[in-house]
Amino acid sequence: MTELLQNLILGLLLSGVYALAAAGLTLIFGVMRVINIAHGAFLILSAYITYALWNGLGIDPLLSILITTPVVFALGWLTYRSVVSPLRNAPMASTVLLTFGLALVLEAAMGTIWGNDSTTIRPAYADQSFLVGSLFLPKSQVYGGAVAVLVLVSLWLVLTKTWLGRSIRAAAVNPSGAQLVGIKVASVGALVFALGIAAAGAGGAIVGVMYPFVPGAHYQWIARLLAIVVLGGMGSMGGAVLGALMFGVAETLTSAYVSPSWATAVPYIIVFAVLLFRPQGLLGSRLREDAVAA
């Protein structure tokens, strides 16, 4: 029973990191109908920036989120203005190809700057654990999960309690109506893309502490995040959190009680099973094809 409880807690902590990264991806799709294949590459880029700050300046990797998040936000804004905005109204396939190409460019840049060897971030607490009764909880996962939840709650407050959040929701639901009341939909699009990338950036700093990484690791992460977003429902923030919880717990329990080699497969089997009964995802809504194309 103790082992099960410990694995459930570890699964929930991992789910917080997944939810944070997936929230940015589903936010971009929900407002802009853009599937950002480069999302995982920005996450890994943030992990490398975090490594550079930790290795070069001795800044704690989790505290460096205060630096990496604004940096990645700025990169996201520039990326939208320079390469995404011209294709804003193009077919979805065009933006998929564009962001896939962007992911390849980022991978090449990371390989050129940092090399292709596996990189790890090992702060002093990386090998330490909290002892709670008979439970051993690794400090890196506890700290990482707590920071992920904190950033995710902050993002939720921005989207639900501020004028910016109201503008974003208005632009997502009715862009024409939003323009009529004075909302600059193009500017909102840039901010949404930058916010989504910033969420990936915060997640990347945490991922860098929890896992080793290489430039090509973004393929694994975008596959995982897309599965979470599809499971929860494309464009649904609550669905992304729910999908992340299911994904993280399933992955942890499979690794502990079945085999680590099955840990990446079983969550996808759950995704396939859910989509057989709810093609729109757990909290997603059905959209007419002509509505999506509009």
mmCIF file of all heavy atoms in Angstrom, residues 8-36:
data_model
loop_
_atom_site.group_PDB
_atom_site.id
_atom_site.type_symbol
_atom_site.label_atom_id
_atom_site.label_comp_id
_atom_site.label_asym_id
_atom_site.label_seq_id
_atom_site.Cartn_x
_atom_site.Cartn_y
_atom_site.Cartn_z
ATOM 1 N N LEU A 8 1.697 6.849 -6.755
ATOM 2 C CA LEU A 8 0.610 7.764 -7.120
ATOM 3 C C LEU A 8 1.039 9.214 -6.929
ATOM 4 O O LEU A 8 0.764 10.075 -7.779
ATOM 5 C CB LEU A 8 -0.635 7.472 -6.281
ATOM 6 C CG LEU A 8 -1.453 6.234 -6.665
ATOM 7 C CD1 LEU A 8 -2.553 5.997 -5.647
ATOM 8 C CD2 LEU A 8 -2.051 6.403 -8.064
ATOM 9 N N ILE A 9 1.732 9.500 -5.823
ATOM 10 C CA ILE A 9 2.199 10.865 -5.569
ATOM 11 C C ILE A 9 3.215 11.283 -6.635
ATOM 12 O O ILE A 9 3.153 12.386 -7.176
ATOM 13 C CB ILE A 9 2.816 10.971 -4.162
ATOM 14 C CG1 ILE A 9 1.727 10.774 -3.103
ATOM 15 C CG2 ILE A 9 3.485 12.335 -3.964
ATOM 16 C CD1 ILE A 9 2.257 10.694 -1.679
ATOM 17 N N LEU A 10 4.143 10.364 -6.962
ATOM 18 C CA LEU A 10 5.136 10.676 -7.993
ATOM 19 C C LEU A 10 4.456 10.894 -9.348
ATOM 20 O O LEU A 10 4.860 11.759 -10.125
ATOM 21 C CB LEU A 10 6.167 9.555 -8.086
ATOM 22 C CG LEU A 10 7.081 9.377 -6.866
ATOM 23 C CD1 LEU A 10 8.010 8.193 -7.059
ATOM 24 C CD2 LEU A 10 7.884 10.642 -6.600
ATOM 25 N N GLY A 11 3.419 10.108 -9.616
ATOM 26 C CA GLY A 11 2.679 10.285 -10.857
ATOM 27 C C GLY A 11 1.981 11.627 -10.926
ATOM 28 O O GLY A 11 1.947 12.282 -11.970
ATOM 29 N N LEU A 12 1.431 12.061 -9.798
ATOM 30 C CA LEU A 12 0.768 13.369 -9.758
ATOM 31 C C LEU A 12 1.765 14.508 -9.920
ATOM 32 O O LEU A 12 1.475 15.510 -10.588
ATOM 33 C CB LEU A 12 0.004 13.514 -8.435
ATOM 34 C CG LEU A 12 -1.223 12.605 -8.266
ATOM 35 C CD1 LEU A 12 -1.798 12.739 -6.860
ATOM 36 C CD2 LEU A 12 -2.297 12.950 -9.298
ATOM 37 N N LEU A 13 2.943 14.376 -9.315
ATOM 38 C CA LEU A 13 3.976 15.405 -9.478
ATOM 39 C C LEU A 13 4.422 15.500 -10.933
ATOM 40 O O LEU A 13 4.588 16.599 -11.478
ATOM 41 C CB LEU A 13 5.174 15.090 -8.574
ATOM 42 C CG LEU A 13 4.931 15.180 -7.067
ATOM 43 C CD1 LEU A 13 6.144 14.649 -6.299
ATOM 44 C CD2 LEU A 13 4.627 16.613 -6.649
ATOM 45 N N LEU A 14 4.606 14.350 -11.572
ATOM 46 C CA LEU A 14 4.970 14.330 -12.985
ATOM 47 C C LEU A 14 3.854 14.937 -13.829
ATOM 48 O O LEU A 14 4.113 15.668 -14.798
ATOM 49 C CB LEU A 14 5.247 12.894 -13.419
ATOM 50 C CG LEU A 14 5.592 12.666 -14.891
ATOM 51 C CD1 LEU A 14 6.870 13.411 -15.263
ATOM 52 C CD2 LEU A 14 5.738 11.169 -15.180
ATOM 53 N N SER A 15 2.610 14.663 -13.450
ATOM 54 C CA SER A 15 1.464 15.193 -14.194
ATOM 55 C C SER A 15 1.433 16.712 -14.178
ATOM 56 O O SER A 15 0.991 17.342 -15.146
ATOM 57 C CB SER A 15 0.157 14.648 -13.602
ATOM 58 O OG SER A 15 0.094 13.242 -13.706
ATOM 59 N N GLY A 16 1.886 17.319 -13.086
ATOM 60 C CA GLY A 16 1.916 18.778 -13.009
ATOM 61 C C GLY A 16 2.827 19.367 -14.078
ATOM 62 O O GLY A 16 2.494 20.378 -14.709
ATOM 63 N N VAL A 17 3.972 18.732 -14.299
ATOM 64 C CA VAL A 17 4.903 19.197 -15.329
ATOM 65 C C VAL A 17 4.284 19.007 -16.709
ATOM 66 O O VAL A 17 4.346 19.900 -17.568
ATOM 67 C CB VAL A 17 6.241 18.444 -15.230
ATOM 68 C CG1 VAL A 17 7.222 18.944 -16.283
ATOM 69 C CG2 VAL A 17 6.840 18.606 -13.832
ATOM 70 N N TYR A 18 3.673 17.842 -16.943
ATOM 71 C CA TYR A 18 3.011 17.591 -18.221
ATOM 72 C C TYR A 18 1.896 18.611 -18.462
ATOM 73 O O TYR A 18 1.729 19.115 -19.577
ATOM 74 C CB TYR A 18 2.411 16.186 -18.232
ATOM 75 C CG TYR A 18 3.414 15.069 -18.380
ATOM 76 C CD1 TYR A 18 3.020 13.740 -18.264
ATOM 77 C CD2 TYR A 18 4.751 15.315 -18.640
ATOM 78 C CE1 TYR A 18 3.918 12.692 -18.405
ATOM 79 C CE2 TYR A 18 5.665 14.279 -18.770
ATOM 80 C CZ TYR A 18 5.232 12.965 -18.651
ATOM 81 O OH TYR A 18 6.137 11.943 -18.792
ATOM 82 N N ALA A 19 1.125 18.896 -17.428
ATOM 83 C CA ALA A 19 0.002 19.826 -17.575
ATOM 84 C C ALA A 19 0.486 21.222 -17.936
ATOM 85 O O ALA A 19 -0.128 21.906 -18.768
ATOM 86 C CB ALA A 19 -0.811 19.872 -16.276
ATOM 87 N N LEU A 20 1.575 21.654 -17.321
ATOM 88 C CA LEU A 20 2.103 22.984 -17.610
ATOM 89 C C LEU A 20 2.532 23.095 -19.068
ATOM 90 O O LEU A 20 2.183 24.057 -19.768
ATOM 91 C CB LEU A 20 3.291 23.279 -16.691
ATOM 92 C CG LEU A 20 4.053 24.577 -16.956
ATOM 93 C CD1 LEU A 20 3.133 25.785 -16.841
ATOM 94 C CD2 LEU A 20 5.238 24.700 -16.000
ATOM 95 N N ALA A 21 3.286 22.110 -19.547
ATOM 96 C CA ALA A 21 3.752 22.149 -20.932
ATOM 97 C C ALA A 21 2.590 22.011 -21.914
ATOM 98 O O ALA A 21 2.553 22.702 -22.940
ATOM 99 C CB ALA A 21 4.783 21.052 -21.168
ATOM 100 N N ALA A 22 1.630 21.127 -21.609
ATOM 101 C CA ALA A 22 0.499 20.913 -22.515
ATOM 102 C C ALA A 22 -0.448 22.099 -22.521
ATOM 103 O O ALA A 22 -1.116 22.363 -23.530
ATOM 104 C CB ALA A 22 -0.253 19.645 -22.115
ATOM 105 N N ALA A 23 -0.513 22.845 -21.419
ATOM 106 C CA ALA A 23 -1.414 23.998 -21.348
ATOM 107 C C ALA A 23 -1.051 25.036 -22.406
ATOM 108 O O ALA A 23 -1.940 25.622 -23.042
ATOM 109 C CB ALA A 23 -1.358 24.620 -19.956
ATOM 110 N N GLY A 24 0.232 25.265 -22.610
ATOM 111 C CA GLY A 24 0.647 26.229 -23.627
ATOM 112 C C GLY A 24 0.279 25.773 -25.026
ATOM 113 O O GLY A 24 -0.167 26.575 -25.863
ATOM 114 N N LEU A 25 0.408 24.475 -25.286
ATOM 115 C CA LEU A 25 0.075 23.937 -26.604
ATOM 116 C C LEU A 25 -1.414 24.046 -26.885
ATOM 117 O O LEU A 25 -1.828 24.457 -27.972
ATOM 118 C CB LEU A 25 0.527 22.477 -26.680
ATOM 119 C CG LEU A 25 0.360 21.769 -28.027
ATOM 120 C CD1 LEU A 25 1.176 22.460 -29.107
ATOM 121 C CD2 LEU A 25 0.785 20.292 -27.900
ATOM 122 N N THR A 26 -2.244 23.691 -25.908
ATOM 123 C CA THR A 26 -3.688 23.746 -26.121
ATOM 124 C C THR A 26 -4.196 25.184 -26.141
ATOM 125 O O THR A 26 -5.183 25.492 -26.804
ATOM 126 C CB THR A 26 -4.419 22.917 -25.035
ATOM 127 O OG1 THR A 26 -5.724 22.561 -25.521
ATOM 128 C CG2 THR A 26 -4.562 23.665 -23.722
ATOM 129 N N LEU A 27 -3.519 26.095 -25.429
ATOM 130 C CA LEU A 27 -3.899 27.510 -25.469
ATOM 131 C C LEU A 27 -3.706 28.066 -26.877
ATOM 132 O O LEU A 27 -4.585 28.768 -27.406
ATOM 133 C CB LEU A 27 -3.065 28.301 -24.467
ATOM 134 C CG LEU A 27 -3.248 29.830 -24.476
ATOM 135 C CD1 LEU A 27 -4.660 30.193 -24.058
ATOM 136 C CD2 LEU A 27 -2.222 30.495 -23.553
ATOM 137 N N ILE A 28 -2.572 27.764 -27.490
ATOM 138 C CA ILE A 28 -2.294 28.251 -28.843
ATOM 139 C C ILE A 28 -3.327 27.706 -29.821
ATOM 140 O O ILE A 28 -3.859 28.439 -30.663
ATOM 141 C CB ILE A 28 -0.870 27.860 -29.268
ATOM 142 C CG1 ILE A 28 0.159 28.630 -28.438
ATOM 143 C CG2 ILE A 28 -0.650 28.118 -30.759
ATOM 144 C CD1 ILE A 28 1.587 28.175 -28.641
ATOM 145 N N PHE A 29 -3.654 26.428 -29.697
ATOM 146 C CA PHE A 29 -4.642 25.858 -30.613
ATOM 147 C C PHE A 29 -6.033 26.422 -30.348
ATOM 148 O O PHE A 29 -6.769 26.746 -31.283
ATOM 149 C CB PHE A 29 -4.681 24.329 -30.490
ATOM 150 C CG PHE A 29 -5.724 23.713 -31.388
ATOM 151 C CD1 PHE A 29 -5.432 23.468 -32.715
ATOM 152 C CD2 PHE A 29 -6.988 23.408 -30.905
ATOM 153 C CE1 PHE A 29 -6.398 22.922 -33.562
ATOM 154 C CE2 PHE A 29 -7.955 22.865 -31.737
ATOM 155 C CZ PHE A 29 -7.651 22.616 -33.069
ATOM 156 N N GLY A 30 -6.392 26.560 -29.080
ATOM 157 C CA GLY A 30 -7.738 27.019 -28.744
ATOM 158 C C GLY A 30 -8.041 28.405 -29.255
ATOM 159 O O GLY A 30 -9.171 28.700 -29.663
ATOM 160 N N VAL A 31 -7.050 29.283 -29.265
ATOM 161 C CA VAL A 31 -7.272 30.664 -29.698
ATOM 162 C C VAL A 31 -6.982 30.831 -31.183
ATOM 163 O O VAL A 31 -7.712 31.531 -31.894
ATOM 164 C CB VAL A 31 -6.383 31.626 -28.879
ATOM 165 C CG1 VAL A 31 -6.543 33.056 -29.384
ATOM 166 C CG2 VAL A 31 -6.754 31.552 -27.400
ATOM 167 N N MET A 32 -5.945 30.176 -31.683
ATOM 168 C CA MET A 32 -5.459 30.466 -33.030
ATOM 169 C C MET A 32 -5.684 29.347 -34.036
ATOM 170 O O MET A 32 -5.464 29.525 -35.227
ATOM 171 C CB MET A 32 -3.962 30.785 -32.967
ATOM 172 C CG MET A 32 -3.600 31.904 -32.016
ATOM 173 S SD MET A 32 -1.825 32.003 -31.753
ATOM 174 C CE MET A 32 -1.272 32.302 -33.411
ATOM 175 N N ARG A 33 -6.106 28.164 -33.556
ATOM 176 C CA ARG A 33 -6.227 26.996 -34.422
ATOM 177 C C ARG A 33 -4.909 26.671 -35.121
ATOM 178 O O ARG A 33 -4.870 26.317 -36.294
ATOM 179 C CB ARG A 33 -7.350 27.198 -35.450
ATOM 180 C CG ARG A 33 -8.741 27.256 -34.837
ATOM 181 C CD ARG A 33 -9.090 25.903 -34.210
ATOM 182 N NE ARG A 33 -10.444 25.887 -33.682
ATOM 183 C CZ ARG A 33 -10.776 26.083 -32.403
ATOM 184 N NH1 ARG A 33 -9.811 26.340 -31.525
ATOM 185 N NH2 ARG A 33 -12.007 26.007 -31.993
ATOM 186 N N VAL A 34 -3.821 26.818 -34.380
ATOM 187 C CA VAL A 34 -2.480 26.499 -34.866
ATOM 188 C C VAL A 34 -1.935 25.344 -34.036
ATOM 189 O O VAL A 34 -1.908 25.417 -32.799
ATOM 190 C CB VAL A 34 -1.529 27.711 -34.759
ATOM 191 C CG1 VAL A 34 -0.088 27.297 -35.029
ATOM 192 C CG2 VAL A 34 -1.955 28.802 -35.731
ATOM 193 N N ILE A 35 -1.546 24.259 -34.702
ATOM 194 C CA ILE A 35 -0.904 23.137 -34.014
ATOM 195 C C ILE A 35 0.594 23.379 -34.066
ATOM 196 O O ILE A 35 1.227 23.238 -35.121
ATOM 197 C CB ILE A 35 -1.266 21.791 -34.679
ATOM 198 C CG1 ILE A 35 -2.782 21.578 -34.639
ATOM 199 C CG2 ILE A 35 -0.555 20.642 -33.967
ATOM 200 C CD1 ILE A 35 -3.238 20.323 -35.359
ATOM 201 N N ASN A 36 1.162 23.750 -32.936
ATOM 202 C CA ASN A 36 2.566 24.171 -32.885
ATOM 203 C C ASN A 36 3.482 22.965 -32.673
ATOM 204 O O ASN A 36 3.756 22.561 -31.540
ATOM 205 C CB ASN A 36 2.755 25.202 -31.764
ATOM 206 C CG ASN A 36 4.191 25.670 -31.672
ATOM 207 O OD1 ASN A 36 4.935 25.613 -32.650
ATOM 208 N ND2 ASN A 36 4.590 26.124 -30.496
#
